[in-house]
Amino acid sequence: SVLFLDEPTSGLDSTTSFEVCGILRGIADGGRTVISTIHSPSAEAFRLFDDVALLARGGRVAYFGAVSRSLDFVEEKLAESRLSSECSNSSDVEDFDVVDDEESNGNNGRSLSKAPSNGSLGQVSIAEVLLVSVADREAADALCDAYATSALATSNLHRIKVLLGALPKDKQGLVALYGRRAAKTLLRAEQELIISTSSSPFSIIMGDGETSDRSDAQSDSSTGTSITTSTSNVSVRKVATSPSIWRKTRRRFCQFFRRETHTSSLTATRVMLKYRMWANLKDVRWVAARCAPLFFAFVVSSLFYQSATDVDARGLMNTSALLFMVAALPALAAGGYMPSIVEERGLFYRERADGCYSTGAYLIYKLLEEGVMTCVMTTSFAVIILYSVNAQGSVLYFILTCLVTAFVGVVLAYLVAALCPTANAANTVLPVYITVHLFVIGLLLDPLPVYARWFADVAFLRYTWRGLMLNQFGEGGMKNPLFGFGGILEFYHLDESVMTMWEQLGMVGVFFFFYLIATYMALAYVRHIKR
């Protein structure tokens, strides 16, 4: 059987941590496999482990093998890559000297000594040196590349393939032995192993897949041309050592967009929706904060009840004001979505840094989570107002316009929350920004001063209101009733020949994608909390 532990020594002092590791050592000596994640173990606790897997950023393997050979491997590979000086500049590795601990047995007891400025001698464990070796990004990448092309990685790959070769080949056999979920995981691991083998700098030829005795691969570091493993079923041949230009470009692209995650974006989004979204939907306070559109709908419908069919001057002014409020209220209601980004900021920084998900996966999850309530509340808002005031024109267009405007308000609220350091700052910036939009929509002031017309062109609420006006008084509506010396559309300079109501809706959609990209960039590169 296998025992998995996730940081069993976190929050414990060194003595208690050593006792816990001693218990795990006893369990392992009893014939059970113990796998544990651990951060910065003490020298005494680290000696109790047989093998260690050292992971760099993004889950890349920097070393996987015996603890006794880990320090020699790291020193050798960093020296070969000529990046040890960069690593030492960032973490003072060059100030350490390897000394033998006479009280320990074997190489597991090796430690490092450092001479501080006060002249005293301090002891640093091998575990700390391994962590230092992956602290610098360039040194960690070099170490991971060196491990991927090493004989040790080849030997580990062979062991994995031998173990997988002993498993049933069909899915039904795996399900019968391990269950459906475990069988799916094993099949995925085998496919990933095949892909990694085909893209690795080693060509591995397997025999019949039966279990064979382990034989360490021998390497010739002086020539760097061939590596041969003597086993009954496996032969390994090194074909290339330097990564291709495509792999280098892809790695830099992934690093720029911070895609160093342990899981795919689809899987991360699905997990967050499964566990977080349903928990929020069951939270009465979370749902109540997003019910503002229903309150606005009842207020507007009670004040403008059956007023959208009046064709006199006062009635047309009231209808224009009604559509003005319909355009503004979904965006104003989006202020209820900002606290979620601010409250989850610390969790988002920590989980993204740990590689749990990417920025894009988190943003997609938030949009889908808020999209459920946004669709329900905004559609209810539009339907209640549409039939209570007896609005004219296309029902579909009216509902779609309210929905798209509401989603623009959501991503705009996310953008403001990502840029502002505190919730108080966000609650100040968003209402001010939306209020400025109301002045340039075209109802309160028309024509606008020359120096303010540029902002009207980039105000998404202006396109929402103009589209609603064209839907109400255009060809499908009341057909431009007279207002003053002409029609009401001419009075507000709404010429449908220049931009139709569907083109107005398309412009609102453009602002959605613009704010969405800006939100992604803000979440990815603006930090308000130091981890």
Side-chain angles (χ1 to χ4, degrees), residues 100-117:
D100 291 328
D101 190 351
E102 297 178 356
E103 297 178 0
S104 62
N105 296 324
N107 290 333
N108 285 23
R110 296 180 68 191
S111 61
L112 297 184
S113 63
K114 180 181 178 181
S117 58

Side-chain angles (χ1 to χ4, degrees), residues 213-411:
D213 295 334
R214 176 185 175 186
S215 175
D216 293 337
Q218 304 295 326
S219 62
D220 186 358
S221 59
S222 60
T223 60
T225 56
S226 65
I227 297 179
T228 305
T229 301
S230 299
T231 63
S232 58
N233 297 330
V234 183
S235 63
V236 182
R237 182 171 63 256
K238 188 174 182 179
V239 296
T241 57
S242 59
S244 62
I245 297 178
W246 163 249
R247 293 181 63 188
K248 292 180 179 178
T249 304
R250 181 177 179 274
R251 182 184 305 165
R252 292 174 181 174
F253 179 84
C254 294
Q255 290 177 353
F256 177 79
F257 286 99
R258 300 186 179 182
R259 293 178 55 191
E260 300 176 352
T261 58
H262 303 306
T263 58
S264 65
S265 297
L266 180 61
T267 301
T269 303
R270 179 176 58 83
V271 170
M272 286 188 286
L273 288 174
K274 180 179 180 180
Y275 294 100
R276 294 185 181 177
M277 185 184 74
W278 292 115
N280 289 331
L281 291 177
K282 295 177 183 178
D283 188 353
V284 177
R285 293 176 298 179
W286 188 89
V287 175
R290 288 151 179 80
C291 292
L294 291 180
F295 174 76
F296 290 148
F298 287 114
V299 172
V300 172
S301 61
S302 62
L303 294 176
F304 293 90
Y305 182 74
Q306 297 294 319
S307 64
T309 55
D310 298 337
V311 294
D312 59 335
R314 188 179 298 276
L316 294 177
M317 287 295 295
N318 290 338
T319 303
S320 301
L322 165 66
L323 298 179
F324 175 84
M325 297 305 299
V326 171
L329 289 178
L332 290 173
Y337 306 132
M338 286 192 302
S340 63
I341 294 292
V342 179
E343 292 172 358
E344 297 176 3
R345 179 174 291 164
L347 180 65
F348 166 67
Y349 287 159
R350 182 171 65 253
E351 291 181 340
R352 185 185 63 179
D354 292 339
C356 297
Y357 47 75
S358 63
T359 303
Y362 177 76
L363 184 56
I364 292 174
Y365 148 70
K366 294 300 295 183
L367 285 177
L368 293 177
E369 180 185 52
E370 300 290 0
V372 174
M373 292 299 298
T374 300
C375 290
V376 173
M377 294 300 169
T378 305
T379 303
S380 302
F381 167 84
V383 170
I384 292 173
I385 292 179
L386 184 68
Y387 290 103
S388 63
V389 303
N390 197 17
Q392 305 299 305
S394 172
V395 175
L396 176 63
Y397 181 86
F398 192 91
I399 296 176
L400 282 179
T401 301
C402 292
L403 279 174
V404 176
T405 304
F407 274 101
V408 175
V410 170
V411 293

Side-chain angles (χ1 to χ4, degrees), residues 55-72:
L55 301 181
R57 294 177 183 269
R60 298 187 64 195
V61 180
Y63 174 79
F64 178 47
V67 174
S68 59
R69 299 176 57 186
S70 59
L71 185 60
D72 295 334

